[in-house]
Amino acid sequence: MVYFVRTAGEADVEQIRVLLAATFHDTYDPFYGADKVRRMVDGWHSAGAVKARIQKRGGEFLVADNGKDIGGIGYAAMYPKMVKTAMLHQLYVKPSCQNEGIGRDIFAELETCFPDAEIMRVEVALPNVRAMYFYERLGFSEVDRMEEWGAPNSGLPAIIMEKRLELR
């Protein structure tokens, strides 16, 4: 199936929410358990939270769409704590669509959306080795570690990875 990357709209909120729930459970249940993941999904990926990201000024929310289905999503925004840095907040591909280049295609579009950015930064949950390898293939490298991935007091350690963006 061929997917095209486009900007997300409010009509996509429910499909995005369903994709995030499925992907989070597939990825994180083995590490954190289904109950903890369900709480993360309910808090981080509610319809209101997804809608707010789609509407955020200075952010870019993309979906990979085949006309019937959304196979992946990506969301990034300029990082207010660091000059010339864009933060990749979300890049998730539906489990049945993984390894088809959708994540790579979404990222390729996202990295062109921030002409003032010199660096793209992402936080990856420490047990998510598969995501770390994915980001390394895209040119990211580890620059730091943190104890609280996703939310304050989460107790979920993560690594911080960065990629220097090409001058445009």
Side-chain angles (χ1 to χ4, degrees):
M1 186 76 48
V2 176
Y3 285 85
F4 298 94
V5 177
R6 64 170 175 80
T7 299
E10 289 185 32
D12 299 316
V13 168
E14 187 56 25
Q15 280 192 67
I16 291 168
R17 211 185 56 65
V18 169
L19 179 145
L20 286 168
T23 305
F24 253 61
H25 280 289
D26 185 70
T27 303
Y28 299 114
D29 279 6
F31 311 132
Y32 306 129
D35 289 338
K36 187 167 192 156
V37 172
R38 189 174 307 104
R39 288 191 302 274
M40 288 191 291
V41 167
D42 290 346
W44 300 349
H45 306 309
S46 67
V50 171
K51 188 174 178 180
R53 286 184 199 106
I54 288 172
Q55 296 173 340
K56 184 174 178 175
R57 290 179 59 95
E60 188 66 39
F61 202 125
L62 303 176
V63 295
D65 184 351
N66 68 6
K68 297 179 190 173
D69 186 34
I70 291 177
I73 66 98
Y75 171 68
M78 289 302 290
Y79 192 47
K81 296 180 181 179
M82 295 180 72
V83 176
K84 297 189 180 270
T85 301
M87 183 67 150
L88 179 58
H89 293 282
Q90 296 177 309
L91 182 57
Y92 292 100
V93 176
K94 186 166 55 172
S96 63
C97 295
Q98 291 177 0
N99 299 311
E100 295 179 18
I102 292 172
R104 180 198 63 229
D105 291 348
I106 291 170
F107 179 76
E109 184 67 26
L110 277 173
E111 72 179 332
T112 69
C113 293
F114 304 95
D116 294 333
E118 295 177 0
I119 294 171
M120 180 76 73
R121 180 176 258 229
V122 66
E123 298 170 0
V124 181
L126 202 52
N128 195 352
V129 175
R130 187 171 178 207
M132 288 179 216
Y133 291 142
F134 171 78
Y135 288 117
E136 285 175 357
R137 287 191 310 272
L138 292 176
F140 284 80
S141 58
E142 181 178 344
V143 295
D144 203 356
R145 292 191 176 224
M146 59 191 297
E147 297 300 318
E148 303 293 336
W149 171 73
N153 303 313
S154 70
L156 307 174
I159 68 166
I160 299 169
M161 302 179 82
E162 288 184 352
K163 176 183 180 177
R164 182 152 293 284
L165 299 175
E166 300 295 319
L167 295 175
R168 299 174 263 310

